[in-house]
mmCIF file of all heavy atoms in Angstrom:
data_model
loop_
_atom_site.group_PDB
_atom_site.id
_atom_site.type_symbol
_atom_site.label_atom_id
_atom_site.label_comp_id
_atom_site.label_asym_id
_atom_site.label_seq_id
_atom_site.Cartn_x
_atom_site.Cartn_y
_atom_site.Cartn_z
ATOM 1 N N ASP A 1 -0.320 15.863 -5.603
ATOM 2 C CA ASP A 1 0.679 15.259 -6.500
ATOM 3 C C ASP A 1 0.050 13.941 -7.043
ATOM 4 O O ASP A 1 0.334 13.545 -8.206
ATOM 5 C CB ASP A 1 1.990 15.009 -5.806
ATOM 6 C CG ASP A 1 2.596 16.277 -5.300
ATOM 7 O OD1 ASP A 1 2.920 17.125 -6.153
ATOM 8 O OD2 ASP A 1 2.771 16.435 -4.067
ATOM 9 N N ILE A 2 -0.689 13.234 -6.213
ATOM 10 C CA ILE A 2 -1.339 12.005 -6.639
ATOM 11 C C ILE A 2 -2.849 12.237 -6.410
ATOM 12 O O ILE A 2 -3.353 11.962 -5.312
ATOM 13 C CB ILE A 2 -0.892 10.782 -5.868
ATOM 14 C CG1 ILE A 2 0.645 10.645 -5.968
ATOM 15 C CG2 ILE A 2 -1.538 9.521 -6.358
ATOM 16 C CD1 ILE A 2 1.284 9.467 -5.187
ATOM 17 N N PRO A 3 -3.555 12.746 -7.407
ATOM 18 C CA PRO A 3 -5.010 13.018 -7.252
ATOM 19 C C PRO A 3 -5.773 11.673 -7.470
ATOM 20 O O PRO A 3 -5.463 10.921 -8.336
ATOM 21 C CB PRO A 3 -5.303 14.026 -8.371
ATOM 22 C CG PRO A 3 -4.264 13.761 -9.396
ATOM 23 C CD PRO A 3 -3.059 13.290 -8.684
ATOM 24 N N ILE A 4 -6.754 11.474 -6.591
ATOM 25 C CA ILE A 4 -7.597 10.268 -6.656
ATOM 26 C C ILE A 4 -9.053 10.731 -6.636
ATOM 27 O O ILE A 4 -9.556 11.220 -5.621
ATOM 28 C CB ILE A 4 -7.344 9.307 -5.498
ATOM 29 C CG1 ILE A 4 -5.875 8.874 -5.482
ATOM 30 C CG2 ILE A 4 -8.243 8.071 -5.634
ATOM 31 C CD1 ILE A 4 -5.512 7.962 -4.361
ATOM 32 N N GLU A 5 -9.751 10.620 -7.784
ATOM 33 C CA GLU A 5 -11.171 11.076 -7.909
ATOM 34 C C GLU A 5 -12.079 10.042 -7.353
ATOM 35 O O GLU A 5 -12.493 9.101 -8.103
ATOM 36 C CB GLU A 5 -11.435 11.413 -9.323
ATOM 37 C CG GLU A 5 -10.643 12.609 -9.901
ATOM 38 C CD GLU A 5 -11.010 12.877 -11.335
ATOM 39 O OE1 GLU A 5 -12.099 12.473 -11.784
ATOM 40 O OE2 GLU A 5 -10.211 13.580 -12.026
ATOM 41 N N ASN A 6 -12.356 10.092 -6.016
ATOM 42 C CA ASN A 6 -13.229 9.123 -5.411
ATOM 43 C C ASN A 6 -13.755 9.774 -4.171
ATOM 44 O O ASN A 6 -13.029 10.364 -3.404
ATOM 45 C CB ASN A 6 -12.484 7.821 -5.084
ATOM 46 C CG ASN A 6 -13.388 6.730 -4.643
ATOM 47 O OD1 ASN A 6 -13.996 6.789 -3.586
ATOM 48 N ND2 ASN A 6 -13.516 5.711 -5.448
ATOM 49 N N LEU A 7 -15.114 9.669 -3.954
ATOM 50 C CA LEU A 7 -15.713 10.346 -2.823
ATOM 51 C C LEU A 7 -15.262 9.720 -1.494
ATOM 52 O O LEU A 7 -15.493 10.313 -0.388
ATOM 53 C CB LEU A 7 -17.254 10.282 -2.942
ATOM 54 C CG LEU A 7 -17.829 11.121 -4.081
ATOM 55 C CD1 LEU A 7 -19.350 10.863 -4.147
ATOM 56 C CD2 LEU A 7 -17.511 12.570 -3.862
ATOM 57 N N ALA A 8 -14.660 8.551 -1.460
ATOM 58 C CA ALA A 8 -14.179 7.939 -0.255
ATOM 59 C C ALA A 8 -12.817 8.562 0.188
ATOM 60 O O ALA A 8 -12.292 8.278 1.250
ATOM 61 C CB ALA A 8 -13.999 6.440 -0.428
ATOM 62 N N VAL A 9 -12.272 9.375 -0.712
ATOM 63 C CA VAL A 9 -10.941 9.963 -0.466
ATOM 64 C C VAL A 9 -11.129 11.461 -0.015
ATOM 65 O O VAL A 9 -11.891 12.203 -0.652
ATOM 66 C CB VAL A 9 -10.041 9.924 -1.751
ATOM 67 C CG1 VAL A 9 -8.703 10.575 -1.494
ATOM 68 C CG2 VAL A 9 -9.886 8.485 -2.191
ATOM 69 N N SER A 10 -10.436 11.861 1.022
ATOM 70 C CA SER A 10 -10.490 13.261 1.479
ATOM 71 C C SER A 10 -9.782 14.187 0.547
ATOM 72 O O SER A 10 -8.886 13.732 -0.198
ATOM 73 C CB SER A 10 -9.906 13.348 2.924
ATOM 74 O OG SER A 10 -10.680 12.620 3.836
ATOM 75 N N GLY A 11 -10.098 15.485 0.633
ATOM 76 C CA GLY A 11 -9.434 16.450 -0.275
ATOM 77 C C GLY A 11 -7.944 16.382 -0.133
ATOM 78 O O GLY A 11 -7.215 16.357 -1.173
ATOM 79 N N HIS A 12 -7.457 16.380 1.081
ATOM 80 C CA HIS A 12 -5.996 16.193 1.354
ATOM 81 C C HIS A 12 -5.950 14.980 2.325
ATOM 82 O O HIS A 12 -6.150 15.145 3.508
ATOM 83 C CB HIS A 12 -5.392 17.434 1.982
ATOM 84 C CG HIS A 12 -5.382 18.632 1.011
ATOM 85 N ND1 HIS A 12 -4.592 18.657 -0.069
ATOM 86 C CD2 HIS A 12 -6.121 19.711 1.011
ATOM 87 C CE1 HIS A 12 -4.793 19.841 -0.746
ATOM 88 N NE2 HIS A 12 -5.735 20.469 -0.102
ATOM 89 N N HIS A 13 -5.739 13.824 1.782
ATOM 90 C CA HIS A 13 -5.919 12.591 2.537
ATOM 91 C C HIS A 13 -4.662 12.153 3.282
ATOM 92 O O HIS A 13 -4.709 11.817 4.458
ATOM 93 C CB HIS A 13 -6.381 11.469 1.538
ATOM 94 C CG HIS A 13 -6.936 10.288 2.190
ATOM 95 N ND1 HIS A 13 -8.276 10.002 2.186
ATOM 96 C CD2 HIS A 13 -6.375 9.249 2.865
ATOM 97 C CE1 HIS A 13 -8.513 8.854 2.827
ATOM 98 N NE2 HIS A 13 -7.331 8.375 3.264
ATOM 99 N N ALA A 14 -3.533 12.166 2.587
ATOM 100 C CA ALA A 14 -2.286 11.640 3.121
ATOM 101 C C ALA A 14 -1.101 12.219 2.366
ATOM 102 O O ALA A 14 -1.289 12.900 1.408
ATOM 103 C CB ALA A 14 -2.232 10.127 3.074
ATOM 104 N N LYS A 15 0.111 12.082 2.929
ATOM 105 C CA LYS A 15 1.311 12.483 2.237
ATOM 106 C C LYS A 15 2.451 11.540 2.537
ATOM 107 O O LYS A 15 2.443 10.776 3.503
ATOM 108 C CB LYS A 15 1.701 13.919 2.622
ATOM 109 C CG LYS A 15 2.191 14.031 4.087
ATOM 110 C CD LYS A 15 2.719 15.455 4.299
ATOM 111 C CE LYS A 15 3.266 15.572 5.758
ATOM 112 N NZ LYS A 15 3.994 16.871 5.934
ATOM 113 N N ILE A 16 3.448 11.594 1.618
ATOM 114 C CA ILE A 16 4.615 10.740 1.791
ATOM 115 C C ILE A 16 5.799 11.687 1.724
ATOM 116 O O ILE A 16 5.983 12.462 0.769
ATOM 117 C CB ILE A 16 4.739 9.676 0.647
ATOM 118 C CG1 ILE A 16 3.577 8.689 0.749
ATOM 119 C CG2 ILE A 16 6.040 8.944 0.802
ATOM 120 C CD1 ILE A 16 3.477 7.734 -0.415
ATOM 121 N N ASP A 17 6.639 11.700 2.814
ATOM 122 C CA ASP A 17 7.805 12.525 2.902
ATOM 123 C C ASP A 17 9.082 11.691 2.778
ATOM 124 O O ASP A 17 9.212 10.618 3.420
ATOM 125 C CB ASP A 17 7.812 13.290 4.230
ATOM 126 C CG ASP A 17 6.727 14.275 4.360
ATOM 127 O OD1 ASP A 17 6.696 15.211 3.543
ATOM 128 O OD2 ASP A 17 5.850 14.165 5.262
ATOM 129 N N SER A 18 10.025 12.214 2.008
ATOM 130 C CA SER A 18 11.394 11.651 2.007
ATOM 131 C C SER A 18 12.110 12.208 3.200
ATOM 132 O O SER A 18 12.334 13.413 3.288
ATOM 133 C CB SER A 18 12.098 11.992 0.686
ATOM 134 O OG SER A 18 13.457 11.710 0.789
ATOM 135 N N VAL A 19 12.574 11.303 4.081
ATOM 136 C CA VAL A 19 13.265 11.712 5.311
ATOM 137 C C VAL A 19 14.521 10.866 5.426
ATOM 138 O O VAL A 19 14.488 9.682 5.648
ATOM 139 C CB VAL A 19 12.390 11.538 6.571
ATOM 140 C CG1 VAL A 19 13.095 12.106 7.810
ATOM 141 C CG2 VAL A 19 11.047 12.215 6.433
ATOM 142 N N GLY A 20 15.665 11.531 5.286
ATOM 143 C CA GLY A 20 16.921 10.806 5.274
ATOM 144 C C GLY A 20 16.912 9.753 4.159
ATOM 145 O O GLY A 20 16.753 10.066 2.970
ATOM 146 N N ASP A 21 17.090 8.455 4.523
ATOM 147 C CA ASP A 21 17.129 7.399 3.498
ATOM 148 C C ASP A 21 15.749 6.724 3.412
ATOM 149 O O ASP A 21 15.572 5.770 2.681
ATOM 150 C CB ASP A 21 18.157 6.378 3.890
ATOM 151 C CG ASP A 21 19.601 6.903 3.694
ATOM 152 O OD1 ASP A 21 19.783 7.759 2.804
ATOM 153 O OD2 ASP A 21 20.442 6.538 4.491
ATOM 154 N N GLY A 22 14.776 7.163 4.231
ATOM 155 C CA GLY A 22 13.489 6.515 4.279
ATOM 156 C C GLY A 22 12.306 7.357 3.738
ATOM 157 O O GLY A 22 12.525 8.539 3.381
ATOM 158 N N TYR A 23 11.184 6.761 3.715
ATOM 159 C CA TYR A 23 9.979 7.449 3.199
ATOM 160 C C TYR A 23 8.820 7.190 4.212
ATOM 161 O O TYR A 23 8.526 6.073 4.487
ATOM 162 C CB TYR A 23 9.595 6.889 1.788
ATOM 163 C CG TYR A 23 10.654 7.211 0.768
ATOM 164 C CD1 TYR A 23 11.777 6.326 0.602
ATOM 165 C CD2 TYR A 23 10.662 8.376 0.083
ATOM 166 C CE1 TYR A 23 12.793 6.655 -0.274
ATOM 167 C CE2 TYR A 23 11.658 8.711 -0.853
ATOM 168 C CZ TYR A 23 12.732 7.813 -1.001
ATOM 169 O OH TYR A 23 13.759 8.130 -1.896
ATOM 170 N N LEU A 24 8.249 8.304 4.718
ATOM 171 C CA LEU A 24 7.272 8.277 5.752
ATOM 172 C C LEU A 24 5.913 8.617 5.223
ATOM 173 O O LEU A 24 5.709 9.733 4.699
ATOM 174 C CB LEU A 24 7.691 9.232 6.875
ATOM 175 C CG LEU A 24 6.724 9.277 8.115
ATOM 176 C CD1 LEU A 24 6.792 8.016 8.902
ATOM 177 C CD2 LEU A 24 7.110 10.439 9.031
ATOM 178 N N LEU A 25 4.966 7.710 5.368
ATOM 179 C CA LEU A 25 3.567 7.953 5.029
ATOM 180 C C LEU A 25 2.877 8.536 6.256
ATOM 181 O O LEU A 25 2.950 7.955 7.360
ATOM 182 C CB LEU A 25 2.860 6.671 4.561
ATOM 183 C CG LEU A 25 1.342 6.759 4.432
ATOM 184 C CD1 LEU A 25 0.949 7.477 3.189
ATOM 185 C CD2 LEU A 25 0.687 5.332 4.430
ATOM 186 N N THR A 26 2.134 9.633 6.060
ATOM 187 C CA THR A 26 1.372 10.251 7.184
ATOM 188 C C THR A 26 -0.061 10.477 6.767
ATOM 189 O O THR A 26 -0.305 11.106 5.704
ATOM 190 C CB THR A 26 2.016 11.599 7.597
ATOM 191 O OG1 THR A 26 3.388 11.366 7.955
ATOM 192 C CG2 THR A 26 1.289 12.150 8.773
ATOM 193 N N ASP A 27 -0.990 10.025 7.511
ATOM 194 C CA ASP A 27 -2.436 10.282 7.261
ATOM 195 C C ASP A 27 -2.735 11.690 7.753
ATOM 196 O O ASP A 27 -2.371 12.060 8.863
ATOM 197 C CB ASP A 27 -3.278 9.234 8.010
ATOM 198 C CG ASP A 27 -4.776 9.481 7.773
ATOM 199 O OD1 ASP A 27 -5.233 9.071 6.653
ATOM 200 O OD2 ASP A 27 -5.451 10.114 8.607
ATOM 201 N N LEU A 28 -3.422 12.486 6.908
ATOM 202 C CA LEU A 28 -3.687 13.856 7.238
ATOM 203 C C LEU A 28 -5.054 14.015 7.898
ATOM 204 O O LEU A 28 -5.881 14.815 7.498
ATOM 205 C CB LEU A 28 -3.571 14.721 5.981
ATOM 206 C CG LEU A 28 -2.190 14.686 5.318
ATOM 207 C CD1 LEU A 28 -2.195 15.522 4.020
ATOM 208 C CD2 LEU A 28 -1.131 15.223 6.255
ATOM 209 N N GLN A 29 -5.336 13.169 8.870
ATOM 210 C CA GLN A 29 -6.613 13.196 9.578
ATOM 211 C C GLN A 29 -7.751 13.050 8.595
ATOM 212 O O GLN A 29 -8.787 13.747 8.668
ATOM 213 C CB GLN A 29 -6.763 14.479 10.444
ATOM 214 C CG GLN A 29 -5.697 14.596 11.536
ATOM 215 C CD GLN A 29 -5.851 15.800 12.388
ATOM 216 O OE1 GLN A 29 -6.524 16.730 12.048
ATOM 217 N NE2 GLN A 29 -5.173 15.826 13.536
ATOM 218 N N SER A 30 -7.593 12.071 7.698
ATOM 219 C CA SER A 30 -8.612 11.890 6.685
ATOM 220 C C SER A 30 -9.862 11.202 7.286
ATOM 221 O O SER A 30 -9.812 10.640 8.369
ATOM 222 C CB SER A 30 -8.066 10.919 5.594
ATOM 223 O OG SER A 30 -7.748 9.649 6.147
ATOM 224 N N LYS A 31 -10.996 11.372 6.575
ATOM 225 C CA LYS A 31 -12.267 10.890 7.148
ATOM 226 C C LYS A 31 -12.316 9.372 7.227
ATOM 227 O O LYS A 31 -12.803 8.781 8.197
ATOM 228 C CB LYS A 31 -13.425 11.393 6.276
ATOM 229 C CG LYS A 31 -14.787 11.051 6.843
ATOM 230 C CD LYS A 31 -15.921 11.715 6.045
ATOM 231 C CE LYS A 31 -17.296 11.426 6.624
ATOM 232 N NZ LYS A 31 -18.360 12.071 5.901
ATOM 233 N N ASN A 32 -11.768 8.688 6.227
ATOM 234 C CA ASN A 32 -11.843 7.240 6.143
ATOM 235 C C ASN A 32 -10.542 6.532 6.440
ATOM 236 O O ASN A 32 -10.436 5.317 6.424
ATOM 237 C CB ASN A 32 -12.337 6.791 4.755
ATOM 238 C CG ASN A 32 -13.808 7.175 4.540
ATOM 239 O OD1 ASN A 32 -14.619 6.951 5.400
ATOM 240 N ND2 ASN A 32 -14.106 7.744 3.420
ATOM 241 N N GLY A 33 -9.560 7.308 6.794
ATOM 242 C CA GLY A 33 -8.264 6.696 7.266
ATOM 243 C C GLY A 33 -7.392 6.167 6.122
ATOM 244 O O GLY A 33 -7.816 6.097 4.942
ATOM 245 N N SER A 34 -6.116 5.887 6.472
ATOM 246 C CA SER A 34 -5.144 5.307 5.488
ATOM 247 C C SER A 34 -4.719 3.947 6.026
ATOM 248 O O SER A 34 -4.495 3.741 7.258
ATOM 249 C CB SER A 34 -3.939 6.219 5.384
ATOM 250 O OG SER A 34 -4.275 7.502 4.902
ATOM 251 N N PHE A 35 -4.602 2.965 5.115
ATOM 252 C CA PHE A 35 -4.271 1.576 5.537
ATOM 253 C C PHE A 35 -3.032 1.159 4.818
ATOM 254 O O PHE A 35 -2.795 1.460 3.627
ATOM 255 C CB PHE A 35 -5.423 0.603 5.196
ATOM 256 C CG PHE A 35 -6.720 0.866 5.936
ATOM 257 C CD1 PHE A 35 -7.522 1.958 5.586
ATOM 258 C CD2 PHE A 35 -7.049 0.087 6.987
ATOM 259 C CE1 PHE A 35 -8.674 2.205 6.283
ATOM 260 C CE2 PHE A 35 -8.229 0.347 7.697
ATOM 261 C CZ PHE A 35 -9.051 1.398 7.352
ATOM 262 N N VAL A 36 -2.169 0.474 5.578
ATOM 263 C CA VAL A 36 -0.971 -0.170 4.935
ATOM 264 C C VAL A 36 -1.044 -1.668 5.236
ATOM 265 O O VAL A 36 -1.149 -2.089 6.381
ATOM 266 C CB VAL A 36 0.377 0.422 5.516
ATOM 267 C CG1 VAL A 36 1.592 -0.325 4.909
ATOM 268 C CG2 VAL A 36 0.450 1.920 5.199
ATOM 269 N N ASN A 37 -1.072 -2.453 4.158
ATOM 270 C CA ASN A 37 -1.184 -3.885 4.312
ATOM 271 C C ASN A 37 -2.392 -4.300 5.156
ATOM 272 O O ASN A 37 -2.316 -5.104 6.034
ATOM 273 C CB ASN A 37 0.146 -4.510 4.841
ATOM 274 C CG ASN A 37 1.347 -4.130 4.025
ATOM 275 O OD1 ASN A 37 1.268 -4.011 2.822
ATOM 276 N ND2 ASN A 37 2.493 -3.980 4.707
ATOM 277 N N LYS A 38 -3.503 -3.548 4.870
ATOM 278 C CA LYS A 38 -4.827 -3.833 5.489
ATOM 279 C C LYS A 38 -4.892 -3.405 6.950
ATOM 280 O O LYS A 38 -5.876 -3.727 7.625
ATOM 281 C CB LYS A 38 -5.245 -5.298 5.314
ATOM 282 C CG LYS A 38 -5.363 -5.736 3.869
ATOM 283 C CD LYS A 38 -5.811 -7.176 3.810
ATOM 284 C CE LYS A 38 -5.951 -7.632 2.325
ATOM 285 N NZ LYS A 38 -6.431 -9.061 2.248
ATOM 286 N N GLU A 39 -3.905 -2.658 7.445
ATOM 287 C CA GLU A 39 -3.931 -2.215 8.835
ATOM 288 C C GLU A 39 -4.023 -0.674 8.881
ATOM 289 O O GLU A 39 -3.264 0.008 8.150
ATOM 290 C CB GLU A 39 -2.746 -2.697 9.615
ATOM 291 C CG GLU A 39 -2.715 -4.227 9.727
ATOM 292 C CD GLU A 39 -1.507 -4.683 10.541
ATOM 293 O OE1 GLU A 39 -0.383 -4.242 10.297
ATOM 294 O OE2 GLU A 39 -1.721 -5.494 11.482
ATOM 295 N N LEU A 40 -4.878 -0.133 9.750
ATOM 296 C CA LEU A 40 -5.075 1.319 9.875
ATOM 297 C C LEU A 40 -3.791 1.905 10.482
ATOM 298 O O LEU A 40 -3.287 1.458 11.473
ATOM 299 C CB LEU A 40 -6.248 1.597 10.766
ATOM 300 C CG LEU A 40 -6.650 3.016 10.969
ATOM 301 C CD1 LEU A 40 -7.146 3.627 9.682
ATOM 302 C CD2 LEU A 40 -7.704 3.145 12.077
ATOM 303 N N VAL A 41 -3.269 2.999 9.876
ATOM 304 C CA VAL A 41 -2.096 3.644 10.392
ATOM 305 C C VAL A 41 -2.262 5.182 10.463
ATOM 306 O O VAL A 41 -3.037 5.735 9.694
ATOM 307 C CB VAL A 41 -0.847 3.331 9.505
ATOM 308 C CG1 VAL A 41 -0.592 1.811 9.417
ATOM 309 C CG2 VAL A 41 -0.983 3.936 8.152
ATOM 310 N N SER A 42 -1.581 5.761 11.382
ATOM 311 C CA SER A 42 -1.517 7.236 11.392
ATOM 312 C C SER A 42 -0.244 7.714 10.678
ATOM 313 O O SER A 42 -0.191 8.752 10.071
ATOM 314 C CB SER A 42 -1.575 7.791 12.854
ATOM 315 O OG SER A 42 -0.488 7.317 13.548
ATOM 316 N N SER A 43 0.836 6.887 10.833
ATOM 317 C CA SER A 43 2.052 7.103 10.100
ATOM 318 C C SER A 43 2.771 5.768 10.002
ATOM 319 O O SER A 43 2.581 4.854 10.794
ATOM 320 C CB SER A 43 2.923 8.166 10.834
ATOM 321 O OG SER A 43 3.396 7.667 12.034
ATOM 322 N N HIS A 44 3.626 5.681 8.933
ATOM 323 C CA HIS A 44 4.251 4.388 8.702
ATOM 324 C C HIS A 44 5.484 4.574 7.808
ATOM 325 O O HIS A 44 5.418 5.246 6.796
ATOM 326 C CB HIS A 44 3.232 3.473 8.002
ATOM 327 C CG HIS A 44 3.837 2.138 7.515
ATOM 328 N ND1 HIS A 44 3.886 1.084 8.394
ATOM 329 C CD2 HIS A 44 4.348 1.737 6.379
ATOM 330 C CE1 HIS A 44 4.415 0.031 7.774
ATOM 331 N NE2 HIS A 44 4.704 0.383 6.548
ATOM 332 N N TRP A 45 6.644 4.032 8.248
ATOM 333 C CA TRP A 45 7.844 4.029 7.411
ATOM 334 C C TRP A 45 7.646 2.968 6.316
ATOM 335 O O TRP A 45 7.525 1.769 6.676
ATOM 336 C CB TRP A 45 9.088 3.711 8.261
ATOM 337 C CG TRP A 45 9.501 4.829 9.189
ATOM 338 C CD1 TRP A 45 9.249 4.949 10.486
ATOM 339 C CD2 TRP A 45 10.204 6.016 8.767
ATOM 340 N NE1 TRP A 45 9.759 6.120 10.955
ATOM 341 C CE2 TRP A 45 10.336 6.799 9.949
ATOM 342 C CE3 TRP A 45 10.678 6.522 7.573
ATOM 343 C CZ2 TRP A 45 10.993 8.044 9.951
ATOM 344 C CZ3 TRP A 45 11.336 7.735 7.547
ATOM 345 C CH2 TRP A 45 11.460 8.455 8.750
ATOM 346 N N LEU A 46 7.634 3.383 5.091
ATOM 347 C CA LEU A 46 7.324 2.483 3.996
ATOM 348 C C LEU A 46 8.463 1.500 3.691
ATOM 349 O O LEU A 46 9.626 1.915 3.686
ATOM 350 C CB LEU A 46 6.966 3.276 2.716
ATOM 351 C CG LEU A 46 5.687 4.095 2.851
ATOM 352 C CD1 LEU A 46 5.516 5.073 1.703
ATOM 353 C CD2 LEU A 46 4.446 3.143 2.916
ATOM 354 N N LYS A 47 8.097 0.274 3.362
ATOM 355 C CA LYS A 47 9.055 -0.731 2.988
ATOM 356 C C LYS A 47 8.699 -1.303 1.609
ATOM 357 O O LYS A 47 7.603 -1.145 1.157
ATOM 358 C CB LYS A 47 9.096 -1.887 4.002
ATOM 359 C CG LYS A 47 9.412 -1.447 5.429
ATOM 360 C CD LYS A 47 9.552 -2.621 6.413
ATOM 361 C CE LYS A 47 8.223 -3.302 6.598
ATOM 362 N NZ LYS A 47 7.195 -2.466 7.219
#
């Protein structure tokens, strides 16, 4: 849904799910990881 053409990005890197009233970012075991506010996360409720 959000394609990013960059070799540092995995084919399926991360996803964001709407859950109840919140939105959950989940890293899909990407090679270079996902960061929120400069911190490495495996999952994170977005604010």
Side-chain angles (χ1 to χ4, degrees):
D1 299 299
I2 304 178
I4 302 176
E5 296 182 16
N6 190 292
L7 292 177
V9 179
S10 296
H12 297 288
H13 197 104
K15 68 172 183 172
I16 298 173
D17 292 300
S18 167
V19 184
D21 292 328
Y23 296 88
L24 180 68
L25 169 75
T26 304
D27 181 80
L28 300 176
Q29 297 183 343
S30 63
K31 186 173 182 180
N32 292 313
S34 300
F35 295 77
V36 176
N37 304 327
K38 298 182 180 181
E39 295 182 313
L40 183 69
V41 302
S42 61
S43 67
H44 176 84
W45 289 101
L46 294 169
K47 302 185 293 297

